[in-house]
């Protein structure tokens, strides 16, 4: 006897949707930050040197070039379910899970960051600085 199909599980309102993740990555890719300096530790500063994946779909990830004292690094961001997967030079870092606050903002406690559902360029720049610090802390 065939059983009726099970309904799809309801989306957890405490988690941002996959469309939020794609939108966030798209906006970070299109922002194409360049020459943004990020202090990651005492005496250690990296520079965001631009998006390396400007023409690629965000579903395959967004890659940024970072430079430190003339040495290049690649920061890769991917959205998976409710978290941002961060890798630096091919080495995966801890995933940054996102949740939704009571006031409707999206937050990532590991990144110590909060965003509105439609962040502007300055919000995204601050967010990207936090991602770089997160990637370099591991």
């Amino acid at each position: 006897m065939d059983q009726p199909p099970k309904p799809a599980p309801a989306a957890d309102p405490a988690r941002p949707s996959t469309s939020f993740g794609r939108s966030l990555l798209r906006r970070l890719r299109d922002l194409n930050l360049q020459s943004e300096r990020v202090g990651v530790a005492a005496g250690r500063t990296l520079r965001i040197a631009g998006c390396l994946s400007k023409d690629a779909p965000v579903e395959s990830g967004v890659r940024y070039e970072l430079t430190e004292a003339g040495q290049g690094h690649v920061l890769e961001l991917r959205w998976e379910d409710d978290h941002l997967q961060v890798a630096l030079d091919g080495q995966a870092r801890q995933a940054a899970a996102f949740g939704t606050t009571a006031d409707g903002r999206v937050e990532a406690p590991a990144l110590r960051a909060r965003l509105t559902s439609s962040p502007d360029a300055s919000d995204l720049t601050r967010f990207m600085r936090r991602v770089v610090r997160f990637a370099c802390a591991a």
Side-chain angles (χ1 to χ4, degrees), residues 50-134:
C51 184
L52 298 170
S53 56
K54 292 181 284 199
D55 296 327
V58 296
E59 291 79 10
S60 62
V62 172
R63 292 182 327 280
Y64 263 88
E65 181 180 9
L66 306 176
T67 60
E68 178 182 23
Q71 183 178 13
H73 302 280
V74 176
L75 175 71
E76 185 174 358
L77 310 174
R78 291 181 182 272
W79 187 264
E80 297 178 12
D81 298 324
D82 65 342
H83 65 274
L84 185 67
Q85 184 62 51
V86 179
L88 183 62
D89 294 331
Q91 299 292 323
R93 304 302 195 215
Q94 176 183 349
F98 280 67
T100 305
T101 64
D103 64 359
R105 292 187 293 170
V106 177
E107 70 177 346
L111 298 173
R112 296 171 46 196
R114 285 187 179 175
L115 292 169
T116 64
S117 58
S118 298
D120 63 20
S122 63
D123 294 333
L124 291 169
T125 300
R126 279 190 300 277
F127 178 78
M128 192 65 170
R129 283 186 190 128
R130 292 183 184 271
V131 170
V132 170
R133 287 184 191 112
F134 175 80

